[in-house]
């Protein structure tokens, strides 16, 4: 639910910004643009997650979402280090650390160790 909520919020922010800059709805990515995204999940990978037996679902989900999130981290890191719009760069900085945090949580990080790692990554400008 955390992932759904954060993605929904990010999408709303992007859409609000787009509408403030342009007088048209934000276009969706093309199939080619999506396929070129690092960590983009193929239909086959999505089917694999959906078809995973109950006793293997968590493992398959974590593996697949970790790949997807790592791709988002790479894209956000590129934006953060770009000369693009400062608002997008700041949001990219937040996204890359949020995604790294979700990866850590999916892999069992918890408590003070998880918080310490998050601060080290954020303050040290680290991408794992």
């Amino acid at each position: 639910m955390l992932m759904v909520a954060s993605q929904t919020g990010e999408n709303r922010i992007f859409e609000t910004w787009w509408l403030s800059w342009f007088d048209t709805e934000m276009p969706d990515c093309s199939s080619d643009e999506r396929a070129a995204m690092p960590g983009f999940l193929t239909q086959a990978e999505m089917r694999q997650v959906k078809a995973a037996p109950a006793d293997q679902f968590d493992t398959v989900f974590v593996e697949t979402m970790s790949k997807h999130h790592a791709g988002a981290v790479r894209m956000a890191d590129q934006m953060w280090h770009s000369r693009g719009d400062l608002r997008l760069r700041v949001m990219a900085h937040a996204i890359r650390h949020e995604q790294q945090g979700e990866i850590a949580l999916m892999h069992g990080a918890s408590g003070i160790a998880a918080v310490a790692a998050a601060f080290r990554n954020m303050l040290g400008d680290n991408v794992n």
Side-chain angles (χ1 to χ4, degrees):
M1 296 307 292
L2 173 65
M3 290 178 207
V4 171
S6 65
Q7 290 270 313
T8 300
E10 290 164 10
N11 289 339
R12 284 185 184 150
I13 291 169
F14 284 135
E15 186 172 352
T16 299
W17 283 350
W18 181 273
L19 291 172
S20 74
W21 296 336
F22 304 102
D23 191 27
T24 182
E25 294 294 316
M26 186 169 62
D28 198 9
C29 295
S30 70
S31 297
D32 290 340
E33 288 170 325
R34 287 185 191 275
M37 291 177 184
F40 178 74
L41 299 178
T42 65
Q43 290 297 323
E45 288 170 314
M46 294 299 292
R47 283 191 300 273
Q48 181 183 8
V49 172
K50 290 178 182 178
D55 65 332
Q56 295 175 15
F57 178 81
D58 287 351
T59 301
V60 173
F61 179 83
V62 167
E63 178 182 313
T64 305
M65 286 307 296
S66 293
K67 172 190 170 189
H68 181 66
H69 277 28
V73 168
R74 286 193 302 277
M75 288 190 299
D77 188 60
Q78 288 173 345
M79 183 63 201
W80 169 243
H81 288 103
S82 77
R83 295 185 180 264
D85 186 288
L86 182 59
R87 294 169 292 188
L88 295 176
R89 291 177 59 218
V90 168
M91 186 166 190
H93 181 66
I95 289 170
R96 77 182 177 153
H97 293 295
E98 175 239 346
Q99 297 287 294
Q100 288 184 112
E102 288 181 5
I103 291 169
L105 291 172
M106 286 188 290
H107 288 271
S110 65
I112 294 298
V115 172
F119 272 104
R120 278 192 310 275
N121 286 340
M122 184 175 65
L123 299 175
D125 200 29
N126 298 327
V127 174
N128 297 323

